[in-house]
Amino acid sequence: MSSTIKFANVILERNERSVGFPTLYCTADQPFVFDKEEGAWRLFDRGHFDFTTYFNSLSVMKLARYTDATRFFLHLEVKGAACTYRQTVADALSAHPEVLEETEHVFSASDDWQTLDVELTLLDGTVVAGFELTCDGPVFIQNSYYSVEIPHELRDVELALATTTFKKEKFIEHNIGLVRTEILESDEDIARHFSMHVIDNGRTLDVDRLAGGRITISPNDNVGGAGGFTRGMIEAMEQTPRATHVLLMDDDVAVSPESIKRTYNLLRMLNEEFSEAFISGAMLNYEIGDEQWEDTGFMTRQGTFAPAKPPLRYSKFEDVIYNEAFSIPKEIVKLDQRYAAWWFCCIPISVIEKNGLPLPVFVRCDDAEYGVRCKPRIITMNGLCIWHMSFHVRYNAAVERYQTTRNTMIAQATTGFAPKSDFMYEMRNNVRLELKKFGYANAELVLDAFEDFMRGPEFIGTPGVAEETFMRANRNKEKLVPFDELQRQAHELGLTQFDLVKIDRQLIDSDKPRSRVERLSDYAFDNHQRLMVNEGQGYAVIPVLGWAYPAGVIRGKKYLIVIDWYNRCGAIRAKDPVRYAAIEKRLKDDLKRYKREIAGLRKRYAAHRDEFTSVAFWKHYLGM
């Protein structure tokens, strides 16, 4: 018995990203606007409108892989001026959509809605299919969608959305409103099989005003993203009716409800091979709406998090195709350390039952550890995404130096996370990097993390410790001050040449080459802070990002002025060989202790694996 399901709506949206980057939805030589009177979108005037885009092309190649799809269809509703429909296709080498002239259908001018239902024509190697409209004048479009036929019954799906928030009311209240109006109040099948769990770690949301129906809000202790998402998983497993899948989504994101609808529809069609796959949504740049930062990631051998794909821009058609046709490189496949980040990640409840719950690590590495532990097949697809603030906006040393260092080590010791990654190398490298840039406070954060890891699972698993240690890291990290205070401090130190008016990003991000002798000197003496110690002269301006290493610029300087240009703040670092020596000694002592204790420490962590990932532990930890 075959089944046909409406999979993807043809959408045009009204938000900052659709206005700023309309080619995510439609490539046109005329504008398109929403007409409130008609309740439909108006393709504004005589012109050409191509819907073979990131959101509005159909991912036939991936649907054929993830499902048992046999046929694909388009339903189109238009009225207004005369217009001509033609189907488009594209293969892996397409720079532009190919128009299939034989599919042409002419709509006569009409004030009444006209419909077209067609089966899509596919060519060998088709990656995506779409359509274009050539209009003689204004045309309205509504209620248009792609559907898919599969040769068996659809799967029963109960989808629960779990989102964790901490004092980000603007984002989360907007997303609650979208879910209520665009999903729960829609006439689509998902409305009857969807629920939303908001875990309020800040206890600031108005439950009476925002909750109701299939939307629940759970005031929670501040247990970080790991604790909040875990509570969402538990609530999804215990809700009535019981969820079959839980969709984890960050709070501080913008999302198209259509991405959630397509996730639900895709779950209903999955074939056996992908029946327990994770569905991973891409992270697009909140401020540059067509720019993709990550679409699944992996752990490198050096112990860092890395995106599996290069940066892409979805206003470029070739990037829309590249994203769909992309195959994970062999070197990443061989590592077997891929994960799907939890800004948008749909996980089957059956997988949670088999592999347990996440680790109690507060924030950072919880999603990567869980993905690597479960080793699922991972589904990605154009149109499944969220928009998130970019990394340079969100850089926080308490996260990157403390949480990341500690949590990767905890994860590896507890569940065998990323066995091919050398987190000790990354720890030592980050201490050395911060010391070379006079970032002593942040180097100490790395050692705080290392030492807290060595305190063992009994310390980590204690309720309240996760929040306490993160708050401590935030107190101890390098303090940035507003630009006016930074300018005042510079002049107080006698750096009279420093003038923020003359600072630009070219200067902040610049570096200069070093000779081989200079490189060897920097390696041996850490910018002359050991052995051949000297005070240094002058200053250099460098970026705040911890992974930046403008080695040529910082050589021989007495001061380094760290700039966070986006947030208009910074700090002045002074070379301090005494503090450098103290941190070096602390590192050596920690490494000696690590060498003595690591075998027993790993056994203790591994012995806590079943406890840390159990429902009973987490209910106690969360005070449920």
Side-chain angles (χ1 to χ4, degrees):
M1 174 181 160
S2 64
S3 304
T4 301
I5 181 174
K6 183 172 84 168
F7 169 65
N9 292 296
V10 175
I11 62 167
L12 300 170
E13 295 188 305
R14 292 177 290 171
N15 53 49
E16 292 179 21
R17 288 151 298 285
S18 60
V19 173
F21 301 89
T23 48
L24 287 170
Y25 304 86
C26 181
T27 302
D29 56 11
Q30 291 287 338
F32 43 90
V33 297
F34 186 74
D35 189 299
K36 290 183 179 179
E37 270 188 37
E38 290 288 347
W41 284 86
R42 176 180 175 180
L43 310 182
F44 207 82
D45 211 336
R46 180 184 181 89
H48 182 78
F49 300 85
D50 187 350
F51 290 83
T52 322
T53 57
Y54 178 73
F55 271 109
N56 285 323
S57 60
L58 184 65
S59 302
V60 293
M61 183 189 74
K62 286 198 167 181
L63 286 169
R65 182 183 177 198
Y66 302 145
T67 78
D68 294 318
T70 53
R71 302 165 73 194
F72 305 93
F73 305 90
L74 172 67
H75 173 84
L76 195 60
E77 295 184 16
V78 298
K79 76 173 184 177
C83 65
T84 301
Y85 156 91
R86 298 180 186 88
Q87 190 202 313
T88 57
V89 293
D91 62 24
L93 297 180
S94 294
H96 306 282
E98 177 184 349
V99 179
L100 302 182
E101 297 291 346
E102 66 274 18
T103 65
E104 180 178 301
H105 176 86
V106 177
F107 291 96
S108 58
S110 174
D111 292 331
D112 297 322
W113 288 104
Q114 301 180 71
T115 64
L116 175 67
D117 288 285
V118 292
E119 181 175 355
L120 298 179
T121 300
L122 305 182
L123 306 181
D124 290 343
T126 296
V127 174
V128 302
F131 69 96
E132 64 175 26
L133 293 175
T134 303
C135 305
D136 291 347
V139 169
F140 293 94
I141 182 172
Q142 70 166 13
N143 191 33
S144 299
Y145 56 84
Y146 296 102
S147 55
V148 180
E149 182 181 275
I150 58 175
H152 50 73
E153 292 185 354
L154 300 170
R155 294 178 180 272
D156 292 327
V157 171
E158 289 290 335
L159 179 59
L161 170 64
T163 185
T164 302
T165 187
F166 183 79
K167 298 181 180 179
K168 292 191 175 85
E169 292 84 357
K170 178 183 175 183
F171 280 99
I172 196 66
E173 291 190 16
H174 177 71
N175 288 339
I176 290 172
L178 280 180
V179 164
R180 177 172 282 113
T181 59
E182 300 297 322
I183 295 179
L184 293 175
E185 295 176 1
S186 74
D187 59 359
E188 300 192 45
D189 187 68
I190 187 175
R192 296 179 291 279
H193 302 281
F194 183 85
S195 55
M196 182 179 191
H197 299 273
V198 180
I199 312 303
D200 182 14
N201 283 351
R203 296 177 179 261
T204 57
L205 296 180
D206 185 340
V207 177
D208 292 337
R209 178 171 61 87
L210 297 171
R214 287 177 169 264
I215 298 174
T216 61
I217 297 176
S218 300
N220 205 41
D221 291 339
N222 186 18
V223 287
F229 282 128
T230 301
R231 179 162 185 162
M233 290 178 174
I234 294 171
E235 290 188 1
M237 290 190 287
E238 295 185 349
Q239 71 177 40
T240 303
R242 191 172 192 265
T244 59
H245 298 78
V246 58
L247 173 59
L248 307 181
M249 190 176 80
D250 272 350
D251 59 339
D252 54 346
V253 301
V255 64
S256 168
E258 179 64 19
S259 292
I260 299 174
K261 293 177 183 179
R262 292 182 189 181
T263 298
Y264 171 81
N265 294 333
L266 183 56
L267 291 171
R268 300 205 68 197
M269 293 190 290
L270 292 178
N271 58 30
E272 279 303 312
E273 182 183 359
F274 287 89
S275 62
E276 290 193 320
F278 287 12
I279 298 179
S280 176
M283 186 181 87
L284 276 57
N285 189 336
Y286 188 85
E287 296 187 306
I288 307 173
D290 70 335
E291 182 178 62
Q292 177 174 283
W293 282 84
E294 182 173 308
D295 188 20
T296 75
F298 71 101
M299 301 305 302
T300 68
R301 293 187 183 278
Q302 293 75 29
T304 59
F305 303 83
K309 297 179 182 179
L312 299 172
R313 298 292 295 268
Y314 291 136
S315 289
K316 297 166 61 178
F317 183 73
E318 59 263 39
D319 280 7
V320 172
I321 298 301
Y322 185 97
N323 189 52
E324 288 294 89
F326 185 88
S327 293
I328 301 298
K330 288 182 180 179
E331 55 269 27
I332 297 178
V333 174
K334 287 179 181 178
L335 277 177
D336 197 22
Q337 299 188 158
R338 284 184 71 202
Y339 62 86
W342 287 354
W343 47 65
F344 189 106
C345 180
C346 185
I347 302 174
I349 296 296
S350 59
V351 172
I352 298 172
E353 291 172 329
K354 292 175 186 176
N355 294 279
L357 294 165
L359 293 177
V361 292
F362 200 76
V363 294
R364 204 70 166 106
C365 190
D366 47 347
D367 52 358
E369 184 281 324
Y370 199 73
V372 173
R373 187 203 313 174
C374 296
K375 297 192 182 303
R377 295 184 180 277
I378 300 177
I379 291 172
T380 65
M381 187 178 290
N382 284 344
L384 302 182
C385 66
I386 51 87
W387 288 267
H388 209 308
M389 296 299 285
S390 55
F391 293 116
H392 69 266
V393 178
R394 296 182 288 138
Y395 183 79
N396 180 352
V399 173
E400 301 301 337
R401 293 302 185 231
Y402 178 81
Q403 291 291 142
T404 299
T405 301
R406 188 197 69 176
N407 294 351
T408 51
M409 291 181 171
I410 290 171
Q412 194 171 65
T414 307
T415 66
F417 168 66
K420 296 170 185 173
S421 294
D422 188 346
F423 296 119
M424 287 298 294
Y425 169 85
E426 175 69 357
M427 185 277 293
R428 290 191 295 264
N429 182 63
N430 285 337
V431 172
R432 197 76 180 271
L433 181 57
E434 292 290 359
L435 290 178
K436 287 184 177 184
K437 298 188 296 180
F438 314 157
Y440 306 114
N442 294 341
E444 289 169 341
L445 283 184
V446 178
L447 295 181
D448 288 344
F450 188 34
E451 291 163 5
D452 281 352
F453 159 69
M454 289 193 286
R455 295 177 75 170
E458 301 82 6
F459 174 70
I460 298 302
T462 303
V465 162
E467 179 185 18
E468 176 189 327
T469 53
F470 184 53
M471 296 300 289
R472 183 192 69 197
N474 272 297
R475 289 193 300 272
N476 293 342
K477 70 183 180 183
E478 178 177 59
K479 300 299 184 291
L480 305 182
V481 298
F483 273 175
D484 55 351
E485 174 62 15
L486 186 69
Q487 184 72 71
R488 188 195 67 76
Q489 290 179 7
H491 283 195
E492 195 173 76
L493 289 169
L495 306 178
T496 55
Q497 290 184 324
F498 177 72
D499 185 354
L500 275 163
V501 174
K502 298 178 181 178
I503 302 295
D504 58 22
R505 285 189 59 199
Q506 182 179 359
L507 175 65
I508 296 168
D509 294 335
S510 65
D511 196 7
K512 60 183 181 181
R514 295 176 295 167
S515 68
R516 186 176 183 184
V517 172
E518 288 172 334
R519 289 175 181 272
L520 290 171
S521 172
D522 290 343
Y523 178 79
F525 308 125
D526 275 0
N527 207 354
H528 291 285
Q529 295 179 88
R530 64 174 176 175
L531 300 178
M532 295 180 62
V533 175
N534 67 45
E535 186 180 52
Q537 295 181 338
Y539 71 91
V541 175
I542 65 173
V544 71
L545 299 174
W547 46 80
Y549 180 43
V553 165
I554 68 176
R555 293 195 82 253
K557 297 297 187 286
K558 181 176 183 179
Y559 297 102
L560 296 178
I561 302 179
V562 180
I563 299 290
D564 178 352
W565 61 267
Y566 185 92
N567 296 299
R568 302 184 68 81
C569 56
I572 300 176
R573 300 173 179 174
K575 180 184 283 188
D576 187 344
V578 173
R579 193 172 181 185
Y580 169 92
I583 294 171
E584 277 278 279
K585 182 180 183 304
R586 183 180 169 191
L587 173 61
K588 288 178 182 177
D589 290 344
D590 283 348
L591 290 174
K592 288 178 183 177
R593 178 187 167 195
Y594 174 84
K595 190 174 182 180
R596 290 194 309 268
E597 299 179 7
I598 185 56
L601 195 59
R602 284 178 180 147
K603 289 180 181 178
R604 285 161 55 204
Y605 271 110
H608 278 74
R609 171 178 175 158
D610 289 344
E611 176 190 351
F612 281 172
T613 60
S614 70
V615 172
F617 166 83
W618 270 105
K619 283 194 169 184
H620 171 70
Y621 188 87
L622 296 169
M624 290 179 69

